[in-house]
Amino acid sequence: CLSLLSESDDGNFILQGTQVKDVVIKPEAPNTLLLDKHADYIAAYGSKKDDYEYTLSEYLRMSGIYWGLTVMDLMGQLSRMNREEIIEFIKSCQHDCGGISASTGHDPHLLYTLSAVQILSLYDSINVIDVDKVVDYVKGLQQEDGSFAGDKWGEIDTRFSFCAVATLALLGKLDVINMDKAVGFVLSCMNFDGGFGCRPGSESHAGQIYCCTGFLSITGQLHQVNADLLGWWLCERQLPSGGLNGRPEKLPDVCYSWWVLASLKIIGRIHWIDKAKLRSFILACQDEETGGFADRPGDMVDPFHTLFGVAGLSLLGDEQIKPVNPVFCMPEDVLQRIGLQPDLLN
Amino acid sequence: MCLFFYFRDRKEWADLEPVPQDDGPNPVVKIAYSEKFTDVFDMFRALLKNDEKSERAFALTAEAIELNAANYTVWHYRRVLLQALDKDLREEMKYITAIIEDQPKNYQVWHHRRMVVEWLNDPSEELQFVAEILSQDAKNYHAWQHRQWVMQEYKLWDGELEYVEELLEEDVRNNSAWNQRHFVISHTSGYSDSAILEREVQYTLKQIKKAPHNESAWNYLNGILQDGGLSSYPGLLEQVTELQDTCSSPYLTAFLVDLYEDALETNSSSYDQQETLNKALELCKLLAEEKDTIRREYWNYVSRSLQNTEYITDMLQV
């Protein structure tokens, strides 16, 4: 096979000829972990409240805060964040129906309800909100077929099945939903390749697989997964560069290093990934000047990819980072404090 | 509605020619955009607070969406207004069509379209529209979800297999198209008819000959034959082995390992068990050491599994 390199827009190279869609890591890419730079990046993020990008992402602010706090805690730097301000902010985001919104003046949604509960768990302050109402809100989103809507407008997605059980597990209230139906719906999203999509029949996708394996872990149903078949599909995500993609014939992205890696950890097959190669890909996604991680080497950084880069490195065993729980993407010590130890396969 | 009356438009300043700041295009654009953004969203927040249901509120949602189509609260409000003001949903279809064409990778826009289609109970434009979006990006995950929803909800299965084949002609590695193929057949004829299964096997092998290094095709082949078992499918081993000379790939080798594994697990009488085990182990070694080293841990695992199972004990007892 001829190897042809062509340059992509961002200055990376795409390997053609063998038709493997991938990036090529340049020799000058970062190869050591720059934790202090990342902590500085996150600590300063959002300090300029009128920054355009910050304003543009207001609609996901609660998740943005969760990403920032979690990565800071994993790096042992949580104290640099403004706990009181964040707790007050969360209180102002709980609506009468019990659901929590991304920010003040936005509508409640299951995604941001989970992020809020995760943040309050990190801060051991869950009772600043009305927990019973949160539970009612989540329960009310379960549909006839066991699936969960994201909010009152009815979008169905296995992401929301995960959000629902993760929220309830953190609150110790898993028993309020129809568990059999919830499990039944998620299993109906299992595909011929062993993966999962967002709804029955949807293409297998690493993000959805993380949500479904996470769901099955929390609900004690991992034995229903075909671990060898799914494990093979997941380790096939690793490209020659060492990075992981989300589905066949797509470029690698550092966030897939989390969705894929965490899924493999949950089903007991994380060793099927070439760890050294993945580590070097993740490190190459750092920005030495600004701190933070980008989706792939050379691109612009953001808090989302920063969390998943660091969390991925933690799963790979980096001792400078706290152990992270593969189901909840939260520090293990927080979950131990709560008393949550979701199943993982061997 | 004019919310930001730029100085350059004000008649008291008409005698002056604006001098753009020389920072390069981006910062200036960003600053202007930021001001308009704050302006529009301050107004949006005011309308929400008063729960105003008016034409001007409706018009403002369009301004807000233009600035940030991912803001789900704006879409909610727009839907509330569509109903409260009894707006023309056909016009709304035109509107959401334009928005999606501009920003096709956004959950909110597709969910909004679905709601309008449901309210109109009219899917007649959907397959055509999704096909158009897929022609720009044939793997758009949101587009495929919408397509599947429309087809299932309104039972629009006709012609889809042909459409999938067209897409695979354009890009035989399109995993979404392979998934759709499985989706269509599962919901129509199913795979239990042996004529249909054979058609699919031959179709897939043909695509593999065109592009042997194609994970999707191999996954599909494996997927449709799982129930029946790879080793017992007539002629399959021969056809795949034949491909080895011209179309070798790690996927082909992996498929052979799966086939041999199936022969061993089912204790198939058509296969010499010892020879099959040896071949399978040899291929695992080839993959681990040469052809697919990045997944050597997986191949070593398969090797160990092959050697540690019941049929080995059976073999030794003979």
Side-chain angles (χ1 to χ4, degrees), chain A residues 7-310:
Chain A
E7 190 160 343
S8 69
D9 301 333
D10 53 12
N12 286 317
F13 294 87
I14 299 177
L15 195 70
Q16 294 178 340
T18 52
Q19 295 288 353
V20 176
K21 225 165 151 181
D22 196 3
V23 300
V24 175
I25 299 173
K26 296 182 183 166
E28 62 268 22
N31 57 13
T32 54
L33 182 54
L34 310 164
L35 278 182
D36 289 339
K37 294 229 82 151
H38 304 318
D40 290 344
Y41 166 69
I42 297 290
Y45 190 85
S47 57
K48 284 184 290 150
K49 298 273 191 279
D50 59 351
D51 177 74
Y52 178 61
E53 262 157 41
Y54 185 77
T55 322
L56 201 65
S57 58
E58 190 187 85
Y59 73 92
L60 55 68
R61 183 66 60 236
M62 196 63 74
S63 294
I65 293 174
Y66 153 72
W67 301 328
L69 291 184
T70 304
V71 73
M72 289 299 265
D73 196 356
L74 288 176
M75 296 189 289
Q77 303 280 318
L78 186 61
S79 57
R80 288 169 72 174
M81 307 302 276
N82 194 330
R83 181 171 191 265
E84 281 63 44
E85 190 181 282
I86 289 166
I87 289 178
E88 283 312 301
F89 171 73
I90 293 175
K91 280 156 78 173
S92 77
C93 289
Q94 184 167 31
H95 291 243
D96 291 338
C97 62
I100 299 174
S101 53
S103 185
T104 32
H106 289 253
D107 288 342
H109 196 286
L110 200 43
L111 289 170
Y112 309 112
T113 303
L114 172 61
S115 292
V117 168
Q118 285 173 305
I119 294 165
L120 293 174
S121 300
L122 276 184
Y123 278 145
D124 198 8
S125 299
I126 202 69
N127 290 308
V128 304
I129 52 169
D130 185 337
V131 170
D132 288 338
K133 292 215 99 179
V134 172
V135 172
D136 284 341
Y137 175 73
V138 175
K139 181 180 172 169
L141 290 170
Q142 187 168 26
Q143 310 295 300
E144 274 299 306
D145 63 0
S147 66
F148 283 85
D151 64 16
K152 68 183 186 195
W153 292 98
E155 186 190 354
I156 305 297
D157 191 321
T158 47
R159 285 182 298 146
F160 307 142
S161 299
F162 173 77
C163 289
V165 300
T167 303
L168 294 174
L170 287 169
L171 300 175
K173 298 279 192 180
L174 263 180
D175 51 337
V176 304
I177 54 167
N178 185 327
M179 190 59 78
D180 287 342
K181 288 208 142 180
V183 171
F185 175 76
V186 169
L187 292 178
S188 75
C189 298
M190 195 187 299
N191 294 319
F192 63 89
D193 50 21
F196 295 83
C198 69
R199 289 190 286 274
S202 302
E203 186 185 359
S204 297
H205 182 289
Q208 311 293 150
I209 289 169
Y210 164 77
C211 291
C212 293
T213 52
F215 173 97
L216 293 169
S217 162
I218 291 170
T219 57
Q221 298 289 317
L222 278 173
H223 54 277
Q224 311 252 26
V225 170
N226 186 335
D228 282 350
L229 182 62
L230 179 56
W232 188 81
W233 191 95
L234 287 168
C235 76
E236 277 291 319
R237 295 308 107 236
Q238 191 163 31
L239 296 163
S241 65
L244 306 178
N245 63 19
R247 40 181 176 144
E249 290 299 312
K250 288 261 169 174
L251 287 172
D253 182 328
V254 111
C255 73
Y256 288 117
S257 305
W258 172 261
W259 311 125
V260 173
L261 209 60
S263 303
L264 279 168
K265 180 77 182 178
I266 292 170
I267 63 172
R269 280 137 175 87
I270 195 172
H271 51 289
W272 288 359
I273 288 285
D274 183 320
K275 292 187 178 182
K277 291 198 109 183
L278 178 58
R279 181 180 167 85
S280 68
F281 174 85
I282 297 175
L283 293 177
C285 293
Q286 297 172 109
D287 186 316
E288 285 172 320
E289 284 174 34
T290 60
F293 289 72
D295 59 353
R296 53 189 76 97
D299 282 356
M300 278 199 53
V301 304
D302 60 52
F304 174 84
H305 291 95
T306 302
L307 168 62
F308 295 122
V310 171

